[in-house]
Short mmCIF file of all heavy atoms in Angstrom, two decimals:
data_model
loop_
_atom_site.label_atom_id
_atom_site.label_comp_id
_atom_site.label_asym_id
_atom_site.label_seq_id
_atom_site.Cartn_x
_atom_site.Cartn_y
_atom_site.Cartn_z
N LEU A 10 0.76 -1.13 -0.04
CA LEU A 10 -0.11 0.01 -0.05
C LEU A 10 0.94 1.29 0.08
O LEU A 10 0.45 2.23 -0.71
CB LEU A 10 -1.02 0.04 1.20
CG LEU A 10 -1.94 -1.06 1.33
CD1 LEU A 10 -2.75 -1.12 2.69
CD2 LEU A 10 -2.96 -0.97 0.11
N GLU A 11 1.97 1.23 0.76
CA GLU A 11 2.81 2.29 0.92
C GLU A 11 3.48 2.53 -0.54
O GLU A 11 3.68 3.82 -0.96
CB GLU A 11 3.87 2.15 1.99
CG GLU A 11 3.36 2.24 3.31
CD GLU A 11 4.32 1.72 4.33
OE1 GLU A 11 5.54 1.34 4.07
OE2 GLU A 11 4.01 1.73 5.62
N GLN A 12 3.91 1.57 -1.19
CA GLN A 12 4.46 1.49 -2.38
C GLN A 12 3.48 2.23 -3.47
O GLN A 12 3.92 2.99 -4.32
CB GLN A 12 4.94 0.26 -2.89
CG GLN A 12 5.67 0.26 -4.29
CD GLN A 12 7.01 1.11 -4.31
OE1 GLN A 12 7.75 0.90 -3.36
NE2 GLN A 12 7.11 1.96 -5.18
N ALA A 13 2.33 1.75 -3.44
CA ALA A 13 1.22 2.35 -4.38
C ALA A 13 1.05 3.78 -4.01
O ALA A 13 0.87 4.55 -5.08
CB ALA A 13 -0.09 1.52 -4.07
N ALA A 14 1.08 4.24 -2.87
CA ALA A 14 0.97 5.64 -2.55
C ALA A 14 2.24 6.41 -3.09
O ALA A 14 2.03 7.55 -3.67
CB ALA A 14 0.90 5.78 -0.97
N GLN A 15 3.37 5.76 -2.90
CA GLN A 15 4.58 6.47 -3.45
C GLN A 15 4.51 6.56 -5.04
O GLN A 15 4.94 7.39 -5.63
CB GLN A 15 5.79 5.60 -3.08
CG GLN A 15 7.11 6.18 -3.52
CD GLN A 15 7.33 7.56 -2.88
OE1 GLN A 15 7.20 7.78 -1.76
NE2 GLN A 15 7.71 8.54 -3.77
N ASP A 16 3.94 5.44 -5.54
CA ASP A 16 3.85 5.44 -7.02
C ASP A 16 2.86 6.47 -7.50
O ASP A 16 3.25 7.13 -8.54
CB ASP A 16 3.35 4.08 -7.54
CG ASP A 16 4.34 2.96 -7.28
OD1 ASP A 16 5.54 3.23 -7.27
OD2 ASP A 16 3.98 1.71 -7.43
N ASN A 17 1.77 6.73 -6.80
CA ASN A 17 0.87 7.77 -7.08
C ASN A 17 1.58 9.15 -7.00
O ASN A 17 1.34 10.08 -7.88
CB ASN A 17 -0.32 7.76 -6.20
CG ASN A 17 -1.42 6.46 -6.53
OD1 ASN A 17 -1.15 5.95 -7.65
ND2 ASN A 17 -1.93 6.18 -5.49
N ALA A 18 2.46 9.31 -5.80
CA ALA A 18 3.09 10.55 -5.58
C ALA A 18 4.05 10.86 -6.79
O ALA A 18 4.29 11.94 -7.30
CB ALA A 18 3.80 10.52 -4.32
N ASP A 19 4.81 9.75 -7.14
CA ASP A 19 5.79 9.90 -8.31
C ASP A 19 5.08 10.21 -9.49
O ASP A 19 5.62 11.14 -10.30
CB ASP A 19 6.52 8.47 -8.48
CG ASP A 19 7.45 8.21 -7.35
OD1 ASP A 19 7.79 9.14 -6.54
OD2 ASP A 19 7.83 7.09 -7.25
N ASP A 20 3.94 9.63 -9.80
CA ASP A 20 3.09 9.88 -11.07
C ASP A 20 2.72 11.44 -11.04
O ASP A 20 2.75 12.14 -12.10
CB ASP A 20 1.83 8.99 -11.13
CG ASP A 20 2.29 7.61 -11.39
OD1 ASP A 20 3.40 7.40 -11.87
OD2 ASP A 20 1.42 6.66 -11.30
N ALA A 21 2.27 11.86 -9.85
CA ALA A 21 1.95 13.23 -9.76
C ALA A 21 3.07 14.20 -10.09
O ALA A 21 2.94 15.24 -10.67
CB ALA A 21 1.30 13.58 -8.37
N GLU A 22 4.22 13.74 -9.39
CA GLU A 22 5.47 14.63 -9.70
C GLU A 22 5.73 14.73 -11.08
O GLU A 22 6.12 15.87 -11.63
CB GLU A 22 6.58 14.08 -8.77
CG GLU A 22 7.85 15.05 -8.82
CD GLU A 22 8.91 14.36 -7.89
OE1 GLU A 22 8.66 13.58 -7.17
OE2 GLU A 22 10.12 14.89 -8.05
N LYS A 23 5.64 13.48 -11.79
CA LYS A 23 6.00 13.46 -13.26
C LYS A 23 5.04 14.35 -14.05
O LYS A 23 5.42 15.04 -14.94
CB LYS A 23 5.96 12.05 -13.74
CG LYS A 23 7.07 11.21 -13.33
CD LYS A 23 6.85 9.80 -13.68
CE LYS A 23 8.15 8.98 -13.16
NZ LYS A 23 7.87 7.48 -13.68
N MET A 24 3.76 14.26 -13.66
CA MET A 24 2.79 15.19 -14.34
C MET A 24 3.11 16.66 -14.12
O MET A 24 2.96 17.34 -15.14
CB MET A 24 1.44 14.87 -13.80
CG MET A 24 0.87 13.47 -14.17
SD MET A 24 -0.76 13.13 -13.62
CE MET A 24 -1.80 14.40 -14.53
N GLN A 25 3.53 16.99 -12.95
CA GLN A 25 3.83 18.44 -12.69
C GLN A 25 5.06 18.66 -13.51
O GLN A 25 5.04 19.83 -14.14
CB GLN A 25 4.14 18.58 -11.24
CG GLN A 25 2.94 18.59 -10.40
CD GLN A 25 3.23 18.79 -8.85
OE1 GLN A 25 4.38 18.83 -8.53
NE2 GLN A 25 2.19 18.91 -8.06
N GLU A 26 6.03 17.93 -13.55
CA GLU A 26 7.25 18.21 -14.39
C GLU A 26 6.84 18.30 -15.86
O GLU A 26 7.43 19.13 -16.65
CB GLU A 26 8.31 17.07 -14.24
CG GLU A 26 8.91 17.07 -12.90
CD GLU A 26 9.86 15.93 -12.60
OE1 GLU A 26 10.01 15.00 -13.60
OE2 GLU A 26 10.42 15.90 -11.64
N GLN A 27 5.98 17.35 -16.41
CA GLN A 27 5.61 17.39 -17.65
C GLN A 27 4.92 18.66 -17.99
O GLN A 27 5.04 19.33 -19.07
CB GLN A 27 4.60 16.17 -18.03
CG GLN A 27 4.25 16.07 -19.58
CD GLN A 27 3.53 14.85 -19.73
OE1 GLN A 27 3.31 13.97 -18.93
NE2 GLN A 27 3.04 14.64 -20.97
N LYS A 28 3.83 19.14 -17.10
CA LYS A 28 3.17 20.38 -17.11
C LYS A 28 4.07 21.65 -17.34
O LYS A 28 3.93 22.51 -18.28
CB LYS A 28 2.24 20.47 -16.11
CG LYS A 28 1.23 21.59 -16.35
CD LYS A 28 0.13 21.64 -15.07
CE LYS A 28 -0.69 22.86 -15.37
NZ LYS A 28 -1.72 22.92 -14.23
N ALA A 29 5.14 21.49 -16.48
CA ALA A 29 6.10 22.67 -16.35
C ALA A 29 6.81 22.68 -17.61
O ALA A 29 7.21 23.85 -18.22
CB ALA A 29 7.02 22.53 -15.22
N SER A 30 7.23 21.43 -18.12
CA SER A 30 7.93 21.41 -19.45
C SER A 30 7.04 21.94 -20.60
O SER A 30 7.63 22.70 -21.40
CB SER A 30 8.39 19.91 -19.71
OG SER A 30 9.03 19.86 -20.89
N GLU A 31 5.76 21.51 -20.68
CA GLU A 31 4.88 22.11 -21.69
C GLU A 31 4.79 23.51 -21.55
O GLU A 31 4.72 24.24 -22.60
CB GLU A 31 3.54 21.40 -21.52
CG GLU A 31 3.59 19.85 -21.89
CD GLU A 31 2.26 19.20 -21.53
OE1 GLU A 31 1.43 19.79 -21.01
OE2 GLU A 31 2.07 18.06 -21.94
N GLU A 32 4.67 24.11 -20.32
CA GLU A 32 4.60 25.58 -20.26
C GLU A 32 5.81 26.27 -20.87
O GLU A 32 5.73 27.33 -21.38
CB GLU A 32 4.36 25.92 -18.74
CG GLU A 32 2.95 25.51 -18.26
CD GLU A 32 2.76 25.75 -16.82
OE1 GLU A 32 3.84 26.09 -16.10
OE2 GLU A 32 1.70 25.70 -16.24
N GLU A 33 7.07 25.66 -20.47
CA GLU A 33 8.30 26.23 -20.98
C GLU A 33 8.28 26.25 -22.53
O GLU A 33 8.61 27.27 -23.21
CB GLU A 33 9.35 25.51 -20.48
CG GLU A 33 9.72 25.64 -19.02
CD GLU A 33 10.86 24.91 -18.55
OE1 GLU A 33 11.50 24.18 -19.34
OE2 GLU A 33 11.33 24.88 -17.29
N ILE A 34 7.81 25.15 -23.07
CA ILE A 34 7.75 25.06 -24.62
C ILE A 34 6.86 25.96 -25.21
O ILE A 34 7.11 26.70 -26.25
CB ILE A 34 7.24 23.62 -24.97
CG1 ILE A 34 8.40 22.57 -24.65
CG2 ILE A 34 6.98 23.56 -26.49
CD1 ILE A 34 7.94 21.19 -24.88
N ASN A 35 5.58 26.24 -24.57
CA ASN A 35 4.65 27.20 -24.92
C ASN A 35 5.18 28.62 -24.83
O ASN A 35 5.07 29.37 -25.88
CB ASN A 35 3.28 27.16 -24.07
CG ASN A 35 2.65 25.85 -24.39
OD1 ASN A 35 2.80 25.32 -25.49
ND2 ASN A 35 1.81 25.41 -23.44
#
């Protein structure tokens, strides 16, 4: 369960990084 929570946190962090990267491209 803790690993699943960590995976979700990692996914959220990746999404934020991707969003920031997209904003930089824009």
Side-chain angles (χ1 to χ4, degrees):
L10 295 175
E11 289 169 0
Q12 184 61 48
Q15 183 61 50
D16 290 343
N17 290 336
D19 292 343
D20 290 342
E22 186 176 347
K23 287 177 182 177
M24 288 180 65
Q25 289 180 349
E26 290 175 355
Q27 184 177 356
K28 185 176 180 181
S30 177
E31 290 173 352
E32 288 176 352
E33 288 178 4
I34 292 171
N35 291 336

